[in-house]
């Protein structure tokens, strides 16, 4: 039952809650599991740490190898045929827009990768091979749902409405960049789209997602008129080795947070193959250990990812909220980033093989073609159009001025501290005394924005 | 192993070690906290007479920093943990978005700071978390990012390090990296007991404040007394910047004063001149202020001088102006803190004093620091490590005789 919190709180005006104080209340009686009396005929004592464990007189260690690997759910065959008979495909309009979104990302990736190679931006990360995981899962979320990302989720941004202009402003760190030119490229964020700004430290967003989900749950408890919302949190299989992953899944489970954890397992963390990342059955096998409902899905099957996320979202809102874990399997076709040459640690033939064998874009295209929704001509038209749009945004963003220099000092605290103001003055002074040493011309407003 | 002991009649400040067994093993004779019989300087702080605490309602309500309706109200005798409990309770009563969580907070906390709060405000708002500091702080950041006032407790400051990444790379940088999107985690307050307690050894005594002061974006606060703890904690919860609130655990039960009943905040990033003087400035914060106060009393009597005492209260962003103004007046200065001398708060204060050209010209002696040695807090050696009255007294002497 949902009750406003205010009614739960007997709010004394002031109280220190010590015996003798009028507002003092004796602690509520609590029944600990360890105090439960033994049922007649029970197999023995019930340990508080594992109340449902039965005794056995057979000495037997649990061995991971004896368990079958968690299966990978698929709705669409690599040839684009629906293989889950219970499956309701998305509307044609939605399927087409999802396809275009994947296409947009893959086109933007090629352009921006080359742009970095030409030295026109400092850094870039593509998401080739993982467009399906991101676009598919984002399509199943509601607008109000809050999202935390790692960095390889451009598909999530575009599916929610991020435009080429938004991407380019951030990548070129110009004055239209919401991050005010402070973050490395690819660290997108959007308050209107309810996606938190990306930060480089891996896995830090996972416990934050649990806390954010708890906040949404509390807000709905306080005001039942707010829509029920979830948090979706993305991370790679490498990040799942961080302590923050463990902390997050555990606290999300104990606090019953409405959060869907989406792991992109693409086989590599930079150069490290999964064999050196873990020895269990991927990430999915860990979920149940935390008491979390878990599923593994084919990340190259955008429709399966969409369906699984939709269902996970429903589950996350049941029983007052609970976490769900999705492991989406894919292959990182691209290099890790522009600072990485992945052929230093894996064979080119392996990558080419994956590209040919299975790709989320190709698979959906086959499905659309079989439904006569897509064709060679449409493909050529769409590719040409999207490329043009992307290049137009690129050219505009590159021309744009950089954010004002004042942005260096703003937003560290809500208000600029006297110390920060003094340092801003110092910077302006040095620029004024040594004008030939500094070029402020590309920054909006030049050095004058450094005035208090 | 459960140690069953006779509980002594006197309630002494005691830390609750992290190990989950009962260690209230306090014999009447405690070799680790006795002082030499002939001691004139190193005698225990008499909290019932120290000028740093308001022993009467009247003196508590004279505080001009308090709002008038609070000054016209009444007071109640509280120790530091009760004042913190009072502040938490007032914050939770005033705002539904305040939540309180951490290890063992639901039953009242190992230092009793959250007593009665779960019963009064419900288990959704006051709850235990799994034993994971990085989880606690990460969870708090996420909750604050979505509009909650998240008050996270770290059981001892010594255990904040697993959460260091979340504090440094996430909480401190959240507003900055979000830019014009405008999201922030100002709703986050991280509370932690800190400082020596007589027998805390390596992992129940640390004061890591200077580590946080090297991070732009965090406010680091340490109160000296119950009145201060209540007002500064309410200010930290209200503040739109993430705050690290460090509670000197030795004062939880020891420091008792008349605390105003109403809800009030005290200004952050503002130092307070506790005592005016003209020959020397002593700057400190937290527990050592009592040591400084005792040393000043003796030094003024013995040396016939007048000493100014300043409590920084917020160690970052700190009130440089107040300190510089005082040192320009006195020309001599020492900084006192428990944590290691190297790169501690004293280093920043001293550097800022000599860097300010007007103050530098007024200096009559080098700026001196009295602080913990560059060592860890060995169990049997705490009283030789934490600055005591003799060390502060001696340093005052050095500054005056320079």
């Amino acid at each position: 039952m949902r009750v406003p919190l205010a009614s739960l709180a007997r709010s004394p005006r002031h109280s220190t809650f010590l015996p003798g104080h009028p507002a003092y209340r004796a602690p509520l009686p609590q029944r600990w599991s360890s105090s439960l009396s033994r049922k007649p005929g029970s197999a023995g004592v019930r340990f508080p740490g594992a109340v449902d464990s039965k005794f056995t007189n057979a000495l037997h260690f649990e061995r991971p190898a004896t368990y079958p690997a968690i299966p990978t759910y698929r709705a669409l065959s690599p040839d684009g045929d629906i293989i889950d008979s219970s499956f309701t495909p998305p509307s044609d309009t939605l399927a087409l827009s999802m396809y275009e979104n994947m296409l947009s990302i893959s086109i933007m990736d090629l352009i921006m990768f080359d742009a970095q190679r030409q030295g026109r931006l400092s850094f870039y990360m593509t998401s080739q091979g993982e467009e399906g995981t991101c676009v598919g899962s984002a399509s199943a979320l509601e607008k109000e749902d809050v999202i935390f990302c790692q960095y390889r989720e451009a598909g999530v941004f575009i599916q929610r409405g991020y435009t080429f202009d938004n991407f380019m402003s951030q990548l070129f760190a110009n004055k239209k960049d919401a991050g005010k030119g402070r973050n490395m490229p690819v660290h997108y964020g959007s308050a209107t789209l309810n996606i938190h700004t990306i930060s480089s430290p891996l896995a830090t967003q996972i416990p934050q997602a649990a806390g954010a989900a708890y906040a949404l749950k509390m807000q709905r408890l306080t005001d039942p008129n707010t829509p029920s919302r979830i948090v979706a949190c993305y991370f790679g299989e490498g990040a799942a080795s961080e302590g923050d992953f463990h902390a997050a899944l555990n606290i999300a489970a104990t606090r019953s947070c409405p959060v869907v954890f989406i792991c992109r397992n693409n086989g590599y963390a930079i150069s490290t193959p999964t064999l050196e990342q873990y020895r269990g059955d991927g990430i999915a096998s860990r979920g149940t250990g935390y008491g979390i409902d878990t599923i593994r899905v084919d990340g190259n099957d955008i429709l399966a990812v969409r369906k699984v996320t939709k269902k996970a979202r429903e589950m996350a809102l049941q029983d007052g909220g609970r976490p769900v874990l999705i492991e989406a399997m894919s292959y990182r076709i691209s290099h890790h980033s522009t600072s990485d040459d992945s052929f230093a640690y894996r064979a080119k033939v392996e990558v080419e093989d994956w590209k040919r064998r299975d790709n989320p874009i190709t698979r959906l295209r086959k499905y659309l073609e079989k439904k006569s929704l897509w064709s060679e001509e449409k493909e050529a038209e769409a590719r040409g159009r999207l490329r043009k749009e992307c290049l137009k945004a690129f050219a505009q963003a590159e021309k744009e001025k950089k954010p004002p220099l004042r942005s260096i000092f703003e937003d560290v605290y809500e208000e600029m501290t006297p110390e920060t103001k003094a340092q801003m003055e110092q910077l302006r002074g040095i620029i004024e005394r040594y004008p030939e040493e500094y070029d402020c011309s590309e920054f909006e407003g030049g050095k004058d924005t450094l005035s208090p | 192993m459960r140690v069953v002991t006779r509980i002594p009649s006197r309630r002494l400040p005691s830390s609750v070690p992290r190990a989950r067994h009962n260690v209230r093993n306090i014999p009447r004779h405690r070799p680790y906290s006795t002082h030499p019989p002939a001691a004139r300087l190193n005698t225990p702080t008499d909290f019932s007479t120290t000028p740093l605490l308001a022993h009467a309602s009247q003196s508590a309500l004279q505080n001009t920093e308090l709002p008038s309706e609070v000054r016209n109200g009444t007071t109640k005798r509280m120790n530091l943990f009760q004042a913190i409990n009072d502040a938490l309770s007032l914050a939770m009563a005033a705002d539904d978005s305040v939540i309180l969580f951490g290890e063992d907070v639901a039953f009242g906390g190992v230092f009793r700071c959250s007593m009665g709060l779960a019963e009064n405000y419900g288990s959704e708002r006051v709850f235990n978390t799994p034993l994971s500091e990085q989880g606690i702080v990460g969870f708090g950041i996420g909750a604050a990012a979505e509009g909650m006032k998240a008050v996270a407790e770290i059981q001892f400051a010594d255990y904040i390090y697993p959460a260091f990444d979340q504090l440094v790379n996430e909480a401190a940088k959240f507003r900055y990296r979000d830019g014009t999107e405008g999201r922030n985690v100002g709703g986050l307050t991280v509370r932690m007991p800190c400082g020596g307690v007589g027998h805390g050894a390596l992992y129940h005594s640390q004061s890591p404040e200077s580590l946080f002061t090297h991070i732009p974006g965090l406010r680091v606060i340490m109160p000296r007394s119950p009145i201060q703890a209540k007002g500064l904690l309410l200010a930290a919860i209200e503040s739109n910047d993430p705050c690290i609130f460090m509670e000197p655990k030795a004062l939880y039960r020891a420091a008792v004063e008349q605390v105003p009943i109403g809800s009030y905040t005290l200004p952050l990033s503002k130092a307070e001149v506790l005592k005016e003087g003209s020959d020397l400035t002593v700057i400190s914060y937290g527990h050592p202020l009592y040591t400084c106060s005792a040393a000043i009393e003796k030094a003024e009597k013995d040396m016939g001088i007048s000493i100014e005492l300043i409590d920084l209260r917020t160690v970052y962003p700190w009130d440089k102006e107040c300190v510089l103004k005082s040192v320009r007046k006195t020309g001599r200065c020492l900084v006192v803190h428990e944590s290691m001398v190297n790169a501690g708060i004293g280093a920043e204060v001293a550097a800022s004093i000599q860097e300010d050209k007007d103050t530098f010209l007024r200096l009559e002696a080098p700026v001196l620091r009295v602080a913990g040695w560059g060592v860890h807090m060995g169990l049997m050696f705490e009283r030789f490590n934490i600055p005591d009255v003799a060390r502060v007294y001696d340093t005052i002497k050095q500054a005056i005789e320079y």
Side-chain angles (χ1 to χ4, degrees):
Chain A
M1 194 186 73
R2 303 212 180 277
V3 266
L5 286 176
S7 71
L8 295 177
R10 289 179 298 282
S11 49
R13 300 299 312 141
H14 49 81
S15 145
T16 48
F17 305 112
L18 293 176
H21 190 282
Y24 172 76
R25 292 179 48 77
L28 297 178
Q30 277 178 302
R31 261 163 65 99
W32 306 108
S33 49
S34 55
S35 70
L36 296 177
S37 57
R38 195 173 133 182
K39 286 204 192 83
S42 67
V45 289
R46 292 162 52 124
F47 296 109
V51 283
D52 292 330
S53 171
K54 300 217 173 6
F55 285 104
T56 172
N57 54 6
L59 191 155
H60 167 76
F61 284 85
E62 298 302 319
R63 300 185 58 204
T66 61
Y67 291 87
I70 292 172
T72 305
Y73 172 72
R74 213 176 228 196
L76 211 55
S77 76
D79 296 328
D81 298 311
I82 291 198
I83 47 179
D84 172 5
S85 50
S86 72
F87 180 76
T88 330
S91 73
D92 293 350
T93 328
L94 179 62
L96 284 167
S97 82
M98 283 161 71
Y99 182 74
E100 279 216 2
N101 284 338
M102 288 201 287
L103 212 53
S104 302
I105 293 299
S106 70
I107 287 165
M108 179 176 79
D109 275 351
L110 290 174
I111 292 171
M112 298 321 289
F113 188 85
D114 290 341
Q116 193 280 337
R117 283 290 180 262
Q118 294 165 14
R120 293 165 81 169
L121 69 159
S122 56
F123 178 78
Y124 192 69
M125 295 179 112
T126 73
S127 45
Q128 289 155 299
E130 294 178 68
E131 301 91 341
T133 300
C134 295
V135 173
S137 55
S139 78
L141 299 172
E142 297 294 328
K143 254 204 332 276
E144 293 85 11
D145 291 339
V146 175
I147 296 180
F148 287 83
C149 291
Q150 179 166 302
Y151 50 59
R152 213 183 294 282
E153 290 90 6
V156 171
F157 280 85
I158 201 160
Q159 180 63 33
R160 275 173 97 87
Y162 215 63
T163 63
F164 280 141
D165 284 334
N166 296 145
F167 281 119
M168 295 301 154
S169 301
Q170 201 286 325
L171 293 168
F172 285 108
N174 64 27
K175 68 174 198 198
K176 287 182 173 169
D177 166 26
K180 291 176 148 180
R182 295 164 180 161
N183 306 308
M184 274 177 90
V186 187
H187 291 53
Y188 315 114
S190 169
T192 32
L193 303 177
N194 285 316
I195 313 177
H196 280 288
T197 299
I198 289 166
S199 72
S200 307
L202 288 178
T204 47
Q205 77 279 15
I206 317 179
Q208 291 171 19
Y214 193 75
L216 304 190
K217 172 178 161 162
M218 292 295 285
Q219 282 154 12
R220 195 164 150 75
L221 264 178
T222 313
D223 177 9
N225 296 323
T226 54
S228 47
R229 303 186 284 160
I230 68 150
V231 172
C233 178
Y234 294 84
F235 51 92
E237 91 283 349
S241 294
E242 291 280 6
D244 274 337
F245 166 87
H246 162 69
L249 268 70
N250 201 27
I251 199 167
T254 60
R255 294 311 306 165
S256 308
C257 303
V259 53
V260 176
F261 297 112
I262 302 168
C263 176
R264 298 176 292 95
N265 189 334
N266 62 15
Y268 287 93
I270 306 188
S271 70
T272 306
T274 52
L275 194 66
E276 289 163 10
Q277 199 62 249
Y278 53 73
R279 282 301 168 93
D281 177 23
I283 309 305
S285 69
R286 302 177 194 174
T288 51
Y290 292 107
I292 293 178
D293 294 347
T294 303
I295 190 166
R296 177 175 276 159
V297 62
D298 181 350
N300 292 330
D301 177 351
I302 190 169
L303 299 188
V305 174
R306 176 180 155 80
K307 183 177 178 181
V308 159
T309 312
K310 224 178 164 57
K311 179 82 183 131
R313 186 183 185 280
E314 280 166 31
M315 289 161 66
L317 289 167
Q318 284 162 4
D319 316 322
R322 66 186 216 253
V324 183
L325 172 62
I326 300 170
E327 182 180 26
M329 311 308 290
S330 65
Y331 183 86
R332 196 193 79 212
I333 288 172
S334 52
H335 298 303
H336 166 73
S337 73
T338 46
S339 315
D340 167 52
D341 173 11
S342 67
F343 300 133
Y345 50 81
R346 60 181 187 182
K348 210 165 181 150
V349 58
E350 179 189 334
V351 182
E352 290 305 319
D353 188 38
W354 267 101
K355 260 199 227 175
R356 263 198 317 278
R357 190 170 34 165
D358 195 16
N359 174 296
I361 301 179
T362 323
R363 205 190 294 191
L364 188 65
R365 183 178 165 181
K366 284 176 179 164
Y367 163 85
L368 294 171
E369 282 172 346
K370 282 184 175 165
K371 290 192 77 177
S372 311
L373 294 169
W374 204 250
S375 61
E376 199 62 62
E377 299 73 57
K378 283 189 170 156
E379 179 80 8
E381 182 278 329
R383 280 183 178 275
R385 173 171 46 87
L386 294 170
R387 195 180 146 74
K388 215 181 292 172
E389 276 176 31
C390 183
L391 286 169
K392 192 175 152 213
F394 178 112
Q396 262 177 337
E398 200 178 25
K399 274 206 305 274
E400 205 70 70
K401 285 247 183 201
K402 299 301 176 202
L405 287 171
R406 192 184 177 82
S407 308
I408 300 169
F409 297 99
E410 290 170 324
D411 306 327
V412 176
Y413 295 94
E414 184 184 29
E415 305 283 336
M416 221 185 273
T417 64
E419 177 181 273
T420 316
K421 282 181 187 156
Q423 291 170 355
M424 190 163 72
E425 284 279 300
Q426 284 179 29
L427 177 60
R428 193 170 56 109
I430 195 99
I431 292 172
E432 279 170 355
R433 289 193 299 279
Y434 299 88
E436 64 289 350
E437 305 295 333
Y438 298 94
D439 179 7
C440 304
S441 61
E442 59 173 335
F443 295 92
E444 180 80 3
K447 65 174 167 47
D448 296 341
T449 64
L450 294 170
S451 304
Chain B
M1 185 188 76
R2 197 176 161 82
V3 190
V4 185
T5 58
R6 284 183 305 115
I7 303 291
S9 52
R10 249 180 347 136
R11 301 195 77 179
L12 292 155
S14 70
S15 83
V16 180
R18 192 169 177 90
R20 293 292 195 268
H21 52 255
N22 189 345
V23 210
R24 297 205 160 209
N25 185 7
I26 309 162
R28 286 194 178 281
H29 171 68
R30 296 183 309 167
Y32 53 81
S33 66
T34 50
H35 60 279
R40 185 179 78 96
L41 299 169
N42 283 340
T43 58
T45 305
D46 184 356
F47 286 96
S48 62
T49 58
T50 173
L52 300 192
L53 294 169
H55 303 292
S57 281
Q58 208 186 356
S59 56
L61 298 171
Q62 269 167 2
N63 186 340
T64 51
E65 282 183 333
L66 298 173
S68 56
E69 67 272 16
V70 172
R71 295 184 65 186
N72 294 330
T74 51
T75 62
K76 185 176 182 311
R77 253 174 82 81
M78 294 183 202
N79 64 24
L80 192 98
F81 83 64
Q82 290 161 339
I84 283 163
N85 180 281
D86 191 33
L88 293 170
S89 181
L90 286 165
M92 298 194 85
D95 184 351
D96 272 354
S97 68
V98 178
I99 54 174
L100 177 67
F101 52 91
E103 293 155 21
D104 307 299
V105 300
F107 90 113
V110 296
F111 286 113
R112 319 315 291 134
C113 291
S114 51
M115 258 172 80
L117 299 179
E119 289 84 342
N120 267 280
Y121 300 104
S123 58
E124 297 91 349
R125 294 181 65 196
V126 182
F127 52 88
N128 292 339
T129 62
L131 208 158
S132 166
E133 285 76 16
Q134 61 195 111
I136 291 167
V137 176
F139 184 93
I141 290 169
E146 285 304 319
M148 303 303 277
K149 291 272 188 198
V151 184
E153 177 179 302
I154 299 297
Q155 201 158 78
F156 287 87
D158 314 59
Y159 307 129
I160 190 63
Y161 308 113
F164 215 56
D165 185 33
Q166 285 285 355
L167 285 173
V168 178
N169 281 327
E170 298 291 323
K173 296 172 174 58
F174 209 97
R175 181 192 296 275
Y176 195 75
R177 73 178 184 226
D178 213 47
T180 54
E181 299 299 290
R183 289 166 296 187
N184 63 82
V185 292
L188 178 72
T189 305
V190 183
R191 296 176 41 240
M192 61 189 81
C194 68
V197 68
H199 51 275
L202 278 65
Y203 307 111
H204 295 86
S205 310
Q206 295 174 43
S207 295
E209 65 274 4
S210 70
L211 299 175
F212 304 123
T213 63
H214 200 62
I215 307 162
L218 298 178
R219 288 192 185 275
V220 189
I221 304 143
M222 198 189 291
R224 69 174 180 270
S225 73
I227 291 177
Q228 293 292 315
K230 179 175 169 179
L232 292 170
L233 180 53
L234 281 166
I237 293 171
E238 199 177 89
S239 153
N240 290 325
D241 296 314
C243 294
I244 308 284
F245 192 81
M246 304 178 73
E247 302 164 4
K249 70 176 87 68
L251 301 177
Y252 272 141
R253 290 169 191 274
V256 182
E257 66 182 335
Q258 292 289 343
V259 179
I261 286 288
S263 184
Y264 62 91
T265 59
L266 292 171
L268 300 181
S269 295
K270 217 168 154 36
E272 186 183 6
V273 179
L274 300 184
K275 177 185 171 305
E276 304 249 330
S278 53
D279 302 316
L280 168 82
T281 304
V282 174
I283 298 151
S284 189
Y285 54 92
H287 192 196
L289 280 161
Y290 296 90
T291 308
C292 294
S293 180
I296 287 169
E297 196 185 327
K298 293 278 193 298
E300 285 186 332
K301 204 176 295 174
D302 295 356
M303 304 171 209
I305 49 170
S306 138
I307 300 175
E308 186 144 309
L309 178 61
I310 295 179
D311 177 6
L312 285 181
R313 298 199 287 189
T314 300
V315 291
Y316 195 79
W318 62 292
D319 191 352
K320 207 177 281 187
E321 209 35 59
C322 172
V323 169
L324 295 180
K325 199 173 135 208
S326 171
V327 180
R328 280 177 212 143
K329 177 178 71 176
T330 62
R332 291 179 167 85
C333 169
L334 55 112
V335 192
V336 185
H337 54 76
E338 271 189 32
S339 53
M340 174 174 84
V341 63
N342 313 47
I345 303 296
E348 183 59 37
V349 172
S352 300
I353 289 169
Q354 67 81 36
E355 202 173 49
D356 182 74
K357 52 187 195 295
D358 298 337
T359 317
F360 176 71
L361 290 171
R362 291 282 304 114
L363 283 178
E364 304 286 345
V367 179
L368 299 172
R369 293 176 287 171
V370 194
W373 310 121
V375 299
H376 306 294
M377 189 78 83
L379 176 70
M380 284 313 292
F381 314 115
E382 180 175 312
R383 67 177 182 275
F384 296 98
N385 184 11
I386 291 180
D388 56 13
V389 181
R391 278 177 62 197
V392 177
Y393 177 93
D394 184 62
T395 313
I396 290 173
K397 208 164 165 214
Q398 286 175 41
I400 293 295
E401 290 171 357
Y402 181 79

